[in-house]
Amino acid sequence: MPNMMARMGDVVDAILGQWRRERPDLDLSPMGVFARMGRVTRLVETAVDEVFVRHGLRSGEFDVLAALRRSGAPFTMIPSELSAVLMMSRAGMTNRLDRLEQAGLIERRLDAADRRSFQVVLTDKGRTVIDETLTDHAATLNRLGTALGPQDTDALDRILRGLLASWG
């Protein structure tokens, strides 16, 4: 992975050098930062998707199971809560819930307090799958982050948090 990243850095540096030669009037320093962020994002997404596939999940399904798992016992939410937490439409949520229910990872139960709606409940099988997947996922992210020491990780996290906050 470090060699791949070094090569990508060389490519980005070469591209920036060409642009600086052709357009010395522009400040292109952010271009390098965002090109590298994009490349890192694609590499991380690929590695993470491989983890999910090994556990029989898609990324969105992992998100639903993770939201239920981290909600704490009894690992139950209503669909509108899940939609809000995952920032997605209710229609998209319905499709994910259908697939997870067919796989036996969640159940839909009528809400005792409001019989017009239902609760989404993480099954024992679902809890096992999300716990195993999360363990593998965390190991993958830690492996990908080995080039960063704890101080670098903290600094990068702080910088990215600030960048995101400045956008909205």
Side-chain angles (χ1 to χ4, degrees):
M1 180 93 173
N3 288 339
M4 185 183 301
M5 292 306 293
R7 285 195 309 272
M8 186 61 202
D10 293 340
V11 170
V12 172
D13 288 341
I15 291 168
L16 288 173
Q18 291 169 333
W19 277 121
R20 287 184 180 117
R21 181 189 69 231
E22 296 299 317
R23 294 294 311 268
D25 57 309
L26 297 177
D27 175 11
L28 298 173
S29 52
M31 184 184 286
V33 171
F34 291 112
R36 288 182 180 96
M37 283 175 47
R39 181 66 179 147
V40 166
T41 298
R42 286 186 293 281
L43 290 169
V44 169
E45 286 174 345
T46 298
V48 166
D49 284 344
E50 289 171 4
V51 169
F52 297 158
V53 167
R54 277 197 305 272
H55 292 275
L57 297 174
R58 298 176 187 172
S59 177
E61 294 165 350
F62 171 86
D63 292 343
V64 171
L65 296 177
L68 287 167
R69 178 64 174 95
R70 69 177 181 262
S71 72
F75 312 114
T76 302
M77 297 175 81
I78 60 174
S80 60
E81 288 176 314
L82 281 167
S83 293
V85 166
L86 300 177
M87 297 177 286
M88 63 178 303
S89 72
R90 291 184 187 191
M93 179 59 62
T94 298
N95 291 334
R96 286 183 187 175
L97 295 179
D98 288 345
R99 288 190 305 266
L100 291 167
E101 189 171 40
Q102 289 170 358
L105 303 177
I106 64 155
E107 292 178 357
R108 292 177 172 129
R109 296 182 186 159
L110 283 176
D111 187 343
D114 181 0
R115 302 215 28 106
R116 294 170 297 161
S117 65
F118 61 91
Q119 300 262 332
V120 178
V121 182
L122 188 64
T123 64
D124 289 341
K125 179 181 176 184
R127 184 172 176 185
T128 298
V129 168
I130 190 59
D131 284 350
E132 290 173 356
T133 306
L134 183 62
T135 298
D136 197 4
H137 179 53
T140 298
L141 294 178
N142 279 298
R143 179 181 51 80
L144 293 172
T146 57
L148 298 173
Q151 290 178 329
D152 291 337
T153 300
D154 291 345
L156 184 56
D157 188 48
R158 179 183 45 76
I159 290 165
L160 292 174
R161 184 180 294 114
L163 182 62
L164 288 170
S166 76
W167 290 346

